[in-house]
Amino acid sequence: MELGAVGGPLRLVARAVPDPGQGELLIEVTACGVCRTDLHIIDGEVAARLPIIPGHEIVGIVAALGEGVTGFRPGDRVGVPWLGHSCGYCYYCRSGQENLCDTPGFTGCTRDGGYATHVVADAHFCFQIPDLYSDEEAAPLLCAGLIGWRSLRAAGDGRRIGLYGFGAAAHIIAQIAVWQGREVFAFTKAGDREGQDFARSLGCAWAGSSDERPPVELDAAILFASVGALVPLALRVVHKGGRVICAGIHMSDIPAFPYADLWGERVIASVANLTRDDGTSFFRIVQKARVKTVATAFSLANANIALERVRAGALVGAAVLLPGEPGDYRR
């Protein structure tokens, strides 16, 4: 499924199966998650190389190895995340911050992604998928899970954590935080009773609307919703020294707010991309915590339907495309 122009629908196109280059894997895609970032690319809020095949929560089987690849073999099941390449020699790469690389490659943005039957990926940025998860279950872990994990680490070790926007990422990270012994407070759109019930079913101590105050002050809040107006709201519910972490790659403008809401050494920080260390540590932790993902599956041909469901917030958990599934979406 190809995006040819900003704002346009994805089109089903036929392409030759690509050959892997040096250091690359050719992967037969078995599942690909649908991420809010895909919508930002379609809407032109995140610049992409067009035409592009979106999708950066990829699970698949290694079909062929490019020259120089080690550590993988044909038949391995692997995952491909958003960060698809880094230069390896800029200041950030050399200082262990490859997520901030000056010349990165992004899967489904500057490199063709997983809304397809096959994808070529840099082997250095592929992960082995734990046997605990089916392809459909594993796909949301490759971005919703990974970025959520980096955001949780950035939030610090506080006991009380707020999650704004209880979708694909929050439902994964909430389970990890609960397993760690933290109290999780879930914030949803006003009136989203289904989302609030879902949050409580995963062990959240409280669930309410984003404009409500939780019953206690929080140590930190993570914003998965790309709504800038949530930043001042989150600042008002964290205590002095609390952290507000903005997890998205794009966010609407943050409105003005009184300095008093920030004062007291409260911190606003963003999370950008991921590192390979995030991936290896995350896949260890999800197995220990026995995290379960919740997803609705769609056929690849119905990618546009899946995207609109994600845009509308009409799904519980995540959406996943299955290239091998013909026909309409299935529950």
Side-chain angles (χ1 to χ4, degrees):
M1 298 293 288
E2 181 184 86
L3 175 67
V6 169
L10 304 188
R11 299 178 300 117
L12 185 64
V13 298
R15 293 186 182 181
V17 174
D19 294 320
Q22 184 169 359
E24 294 181 329
L25 303 175
L26 173 64
I27 299 165
E28 182 179 355
V29 178
T30 53
C32 185
V34 178
C35 180
R36 175 68 61 173
T37 300
D38 299 333
L39 289 171
H40 293 318
I41 290 170
I42 290 169
D43 295 342
E45 295 164 333
V46 172
R49 172 184 63 80
L50 299 179
I52 194 72
I53 297 173
H56 56 272
E57 298 180 320
I58 306 168
V59 179
I61 304 299
V62 175
L65 308 179
E67 184 180 349
V69 171
T70 60
F72 295 97
R73 58 185 179 183
D76 284 351
R77 189 170 69 135
V78 298
V80 185
W82 167 251
L83 184 60
H85 178 76
S86 68
C87 71
Y89 57 81
C90 72
Y91 166 80
Y92 299 103
C93 286
R94 288 186 286 106
S95 62
Q97 297 173 288
E98 63 191 2
N99 60 306
L100 302 179
C101 176
D102 285 329
T103 54
F106 296 119
T107 310
C109 181
T110 62
R111 299 169 61 98
D112 282 328
Y115 287 18
T117 60
H118 295 78
V119 66
V120 165
D122 185 333
H124 290 299
F125 290 86
C126 294
F127 301 107
Q128 300 281 357
I129 299 297
D131 292 337
L132 178 64
Y133 298 99
S134 69
D135 299 337
E136 183 178 327
E137 292 167 336
L141 300 175
L142 271 301
C143 182
L146 283 170
I147 295 300
W149 175 237
R150 185 170 181 84
S151 301
L152 185 62
R153 296 170 92 179
D157 297 327
R159 176 174 174 78
R160 293 169 172 164
I161 303 291
L163 303 179
Y164 284 79
F166 206 84
H171 96 279
I172 294 169
I173 294 310
Q175 294 177 68
I176 293 176
V178 169
W179 174 79
Q180 290 174 331
R182 309 193 200 203
E183 291 181 86
V184 179
F185 297 78
F187 297 82
T188 71
K189 290 181 180 178
D192 184 6
R193 300 301 179 194
E194 184 180 17
Q196 292 166 18
D197 289 343
F198 180 46
R200 283 187 286 265
S201 76
L202 296 176
C204 291
W206 177 90
S209 299
S210 296
D211 57 358
E212 293 184 60
R213 293 188 70 89
V216 294
E217 286 189 319
L218 306 181
D219 298 308
I222 302 173
L223 276 56
F224 293 114
S226 56
V227 180
L230 293 175
V231 173
L233 295 179
L235 279 173
R236 292 167 196 153
V237 301
V238 299
H239 59 56
K240 288 181 286 188
R243 299 179 65 82
V244 174
I245 306 300
C246 302
I249 190 173
H250 171 81
M251 178 177 276
S252 60
D253 289 346
I254 300 171
F257 57 87
Y259 176 67
D261 291 344
L262 179 64
W263 188 80
E265 299 193 351
R266 294 173 178 88
V267 174
I268 303 170
S270 68
V271 163
N273 312 315
L274 69 144
T275 66
R276 283 170 284 183
D277 177 68
D278 291 324
T280 54
S281 62
F282 174 67
F283 282 113
R284 286 196 299 267
I285 204 79
V286 293
Q287 294 178 87
K288 291 179 179 179
R290 308 295 288 185
V291 168
K292 295 181 179 180
T293 59
V294 175
T296 299
F298 297 76
S299 69
L300 179 60
N302 283 319
N304 288 306
I305 295 174
L307 285 161
E308 288 310 308
R309 300 262 173 156
V310 171
R311 186 189 296 278
L315 299 171
V316 172
V320 176
L321 302 180
L322 302 179
E325 289 293 329
D328 203 352
Y329 83 93
R330 57 187 182 86
R331 295 188 184 274

